[in-house]
Amino acid sequence: MDRPAAHRPRNVGWARAAAFLYGDWGTSKAYVIGLAFLAAGFSSLPTILAVCVLTGVVGYNYILICRNFPDGGGVYSAARKQSRILAVMGALLLVADLTVTAAMSGWSGMQYFGVPRAYIPWATLGLLALVGAVNYFGPKHSGSMAFSLAIPMVLVVLAIIALSLPYLNLGSLEPSTKSFSGKWVAFTGMILALSGVESIANLTGVMKLDPASTSDSPRVSRTVYKAILPVAFEVVLGTALLGWAMLSLPRELNGLLEERWEDMLRFLGEQYGTMVFGIGFGKVFGIIVGLVVGLLLLSAVNTAITALIGLLFMMAQDGEMPRPFGKLNPHGVPWWPLILAVLLPVGVVLISSDLESLAGLYAIGVVGAITVNLGSCAINKDLRLNWFERVVMGLTFILMFVIEITIAKTKPEALFFAVCVLGLGMALRAFAQKRAGLRTLTVSEEVAAAMTPESIPGFRLNISATQTILVAARGLNPVLSFALEEARLRQASLYVLYVKELAVNFPGPVQLAEKHRWQDDRDAAKIMYAMLESGRQNEVAVVPLYAVSVDPAGTILDLSATLGVDLLMLGTSHRRTLVSLLKGDVVTEVAKSLPENIQLVIYG
């Protein structure tokens, strides 16, 4: 047997999805309001409010996108419905966005931790290397830190707003002297509040289904609404109130506001804490704010790097990146995507002088990815959108497109960065397709429809036996000998399963383009050839099974139920290492969910 489709368990509820989204989207306020003051000073409130309104509108559009793409509606998946080239361009813009997200979040996190300015670049580089080393093991719960810090972050934001409420005023505000074009450019420079909204669209493939919904006809509308609405409300209202609180400080603090723009939330905590409870409380509260916000920013670094790994790997599996990008390390993490996911933000940090220069590179990627996603969905007639929703999405797309053009015009360094990413990505794509022997042909729509994989009927091999045993093993260990003995005594057929784990977060539905065979996997082939020969010598029917999966426990359960085996055998070890702590325990997960009609033997 070749491989079943890679399995994605739908075990993410609305609360965890909201926490994942907030861990990325919610961190934007850590630097957006500071950038606003740096750009427009005490006349920045209207611009901050305009950015908040746009953030709410984009959030509404992503509710529509997530509702229509229950298997993953990120820019790559959505744009692929229209054009492979457009999908690759959107994905590469997302690569640019995630690259700067990792660099900028790490830099800002060091700022909130109070690292001296001279050491921030080196501390950020060390952080990126550390996160890359951790992701070598492919931890399954990489978003746990964001989940655990979401509530403390919300509490910190609420505390700052509560302390500032008695002091909110309009006395320090001043009218802007800029022309409309100047105000528009300032507005596009603060568009970073949109950061992270794309992440929720990539998460729909693992969200819990709505009641009465099935995996064949999935719907995640309820989870999407409950996940996006509270986060969007907090981001919009929190950014607006924190911006007002910043501009309600005395004008005498103008110099300090300009100096502390990079860690503005910590500065607000210190100032309003001091004004309400005294200087001692202000210092302590400022340290608490710095720790909470800094840790959440470090979590955003990890989220961006894991998303980069998953995106590059999925493009390789789709034939859009070189085949070596799909080569896995012993822990199921693709080598080249992992290396690039670390080197790209490291390179950005090395060429940047401060947080403002990083922010200048940021917006063009995130705005470009959102623009491609909105435009692809707005013209997709297959999506379930009424006329009002489609008009809103279309108008938002036009606005985002104009913003993207403005950024490209006014920020040449950002345009240069985006062109470099797009050029390098398209060159790698051309190289990959040339090495694979692929050619681009133009055919009619009827011919293309007849040649799609969906139009070819599938066939299932039906193997029946008096008794069947399934043994899952990752190496030539004693459980295989035990399974062979049991199969001979019971005169049963023996299925030998090898699961190649992919420790990757996919930004969309998992569709592995290559046909994986155990004969091409050295570790799997060593087991299968040995078991086939042992089965021949002992007159036991051995059937090799090979699966590629992001969830080995789920794959073992699925195959056990699909094949209707009588006995499932798993090997275990008494050793407990850091790797097992990061990756989880497959045996425990299988034991918890195995159907009662299948016996389980754990051999250790």
Side-chain angles (χ1 to χ4, degrees), residues 457-481:
F459 299 96
R460 182 184 296 274
L461 183 62
N462 183 16
I463 302 176
S464 60
T466 305
Q467 274 193 315
T468 52
I469 299 174
L470 173 63
V471 58
R474 291 297 303 272
L476 287 170
N477 50 45
V479 69
L480 293 173
S481 299

Side-chain angles (χ1 to χ4, degrees), residues 188-253:
T188 59
M190 285 184 274
I191 213 69
L192 278 66
L194 298 176
S195 166
V197 69
E198 179 75 12
S199 63
I200 192 66
N202 294 324
L203 202 61
T204 58
V206 292
M207 286 183 180
K208 289 183 177 179
L209 296 174
D210 292 346
S213 177
T214 65
S215 56
D216 294 330
S217 181
R219 293 193 306 274
V220 293
S221 300
R222 179 174 298 186
T223 305
V224 165
Y225 279 110
K226 294 172 72 175
I228 295 181
L229 285 178
V231 177
F233 181 80
E234 194 278 345
V235 170
V236 171
L237 190 61
T239 303
L241 290 176
L242 289 171
W244 189 8
M246 174 185 66
L247 299 175
S248 295
L249 289 171
R251 297 287 294 272
E252 293 77 17
L253 296 176

Side-chain angles (χ1 to χ4, degrees), residues 56 74 107 151 199 396 424 560 582 604:
W107 191 297
I151 293 178
S199 63
T396 309
L424 179 61
S560 299
L582 288 172

Side-chain angles (χ1 to χ4, degrees), residues 13 56 133 182 197 213 223-224 276 305 325 337 352 359 386 407 433 469 514 527 596:
V197 69
S213 177
T223 305
V224 165
V276 176
I305 286 180
F325 278 39
S352 300
N386 59 42
I407 295 172
Q433 294 193 343
I469 299 174
E514 296 183 12
I527 295 173
E596 293 183 0

Side-chain angles (χ1 to χ4, degrees), residues 468-498:
T468 52
I469 299 174
L470 173 63
V471 58
R474 291 297 303 272
L476 287 170
N477 50 45
V479 69
L480 293 173
S481 299
F482 180 74
L484 198 63
E485 293 172 4
E486 285 294 311
R488 182 178 181 183
L489 291 172
R490 296 168 181 257
Q491 296 184 343
S493 298
L494 178 62
Y495 293 95
V496 180
L497 171 63
Y498 185 95

Side-chain angles (χ1 to χ4, degrees), residues 265-474:
L265 292 187
R266 179 171 180 170
F267 181 71
L268 293 179
E270 293 173 357
Q271 293 300 312
Y272 282 109
T274 300
M275 293 165 68
V276 176
F277 294 110
I279 189 169
F281 177 86
K283 287 183 177 179
V284 173
F285 185 58
I287 292 174
I288 294 173
V289 172
L291 285 175
V292 172
V293 178
L295 287 173
L296 194 62
L297 285 165
L298 299 196
S299 172
V301 175
N302 184 64
T303 302
I305 286 180
T306 55
L308 263 175
I309 294 171
L311 180 60
L312 292 171
F313 177 78
M314 188 175 73
M315 292 175 68
Q317 291 295 305
D318 225 7
E320 305 292 358
M321 285 287 131
R323 288 187 63 185
F325 278 39
K327 229 176 179 183
L328 305 177
N329 71 9
H331 303 286
V333 180
W335 277 106
W336 280 106
L338 173 62
I339 293 171
L340 287 177
V342 176
L343 289 183
L344 287 174
V346 163
V348 169
V349 171
L350 290 175
I351 65 174
S352 300
S353 56
D354 52 29
L355 190 62
E356 187 178 5
S357 62
L358 284 171
L361 301 178
Y362 194 13
I364 195 165
V366 63
V367 173
I370 293 173
T371 302
V372 172
N373 200 342
L374 292 178
S376 301
C377 294
I379 63 174
N380 190 340
K381 297 180 181 179
D382 295 330
L383 299 187
R384 298 189 305 273
L385 298 172
N386 59 42
W387 69 268
F388 175 78
E389 295 169 340
R390 199 174 292 275
V391 167
V392 170
M393 189 174 290
L395 293 176
T396 309
F397 158 72
I398 293 173
L399 177 61
M400 297 298 295
F401 180 77
V402 174
I403 292 173
E404 180 78 346
I405 295 298
T406 304
I407 295 172
K409 172 68 175 177
T410 59
K411 295 184 181 296
E413 68 282 357
L415 178 60
F416 176 75
F417 174 68
V419 169
C420 287
V421 173
L422 286 171
L424 179 61
M426 296 305 289
L428 283 173
R429 178 180 186 267
F431 173 77
Q433 294 193 343
K434 183 177 181 180
R435 289 293 301 271
L438 300 178
R439 294 179 58 189
T440 302
L441 298 176
T442 302
V443 297
S444 65
E445 186 175 352
E446 293 79 6
V447 174
M451 297 176 64
T452 57
E454 292 79 5
S455 64
I456 302 174
F459 299 96
R460 182 184 296 274
L461 183 62
N462 183 16
I463 302 176
S464 60
T466 305
Q467 274 193 315
T468 52
I469 299 174
L470 173 63
V471 58
R474 291 297 303 272

